[in-house]
Amino acid sequence: MEASNDIDDTGGDGSDVVDGYEQLRARALSGGPDGWRLGLGVLQQRGVAAWLRVRQATMPKVSPPTPRAASPIAGGVEAELVGLLASMALAVASQG
């Protein structure tokens, strides 16, 4: 039986954490100056567990998509407007 901790709760399959770590590792190995943006200092000074906690705390929360509001244009008017714009585009294309 595995013990659970706050690091285990990555909020998904964990692939984003692995990708983040691999990006950090690549920057660190290449000597890139911007590894600090990915948490290199935390990883070096406090370790992987602290890096995981900081990464989890700073990752933006993904919210479910908001339902689209009903169109303010009445039903048949949309189709009429699309037809008008299409005929204008075709007229311009046939002239040029």
Side-chain angles (χ1 to χ4, degrees), residues 33-47:
D34 59 346
W36 62 271
R37 293 181 181 169
L38 300 174
L40 182 59
V42 174
L43 182 65
Q44 288 175 330
Q45 297 297 315
R46 300 171 82 199

Side-chain angles (χ1 to χ4, degrees), residues 14-62:
S15 64
D16 58 335
V17 174
V18 173
D19 291 342
Y21 175 77
E22 289 301 324
Q23 286 178 351
L24 174 58
R25 186 169 91 65
R27 296 253 175 91
L29 291 175
S30 71
D34 59 346
W36 62 271
R37 293 181 181 169
L38 300 174
L40 182 59
V42 174
L43 182 65
Q44 288 175 330
Q45 297 297 315
R46 300 171 82 199
V48 174
W51 178 81
L52 286 170
R53 277 191 225 97
V54 168
R55 179 169 171 83
Q56 185 177 4
T58 58
M59 289 296 294
K61 305 294 183 219
V62 178

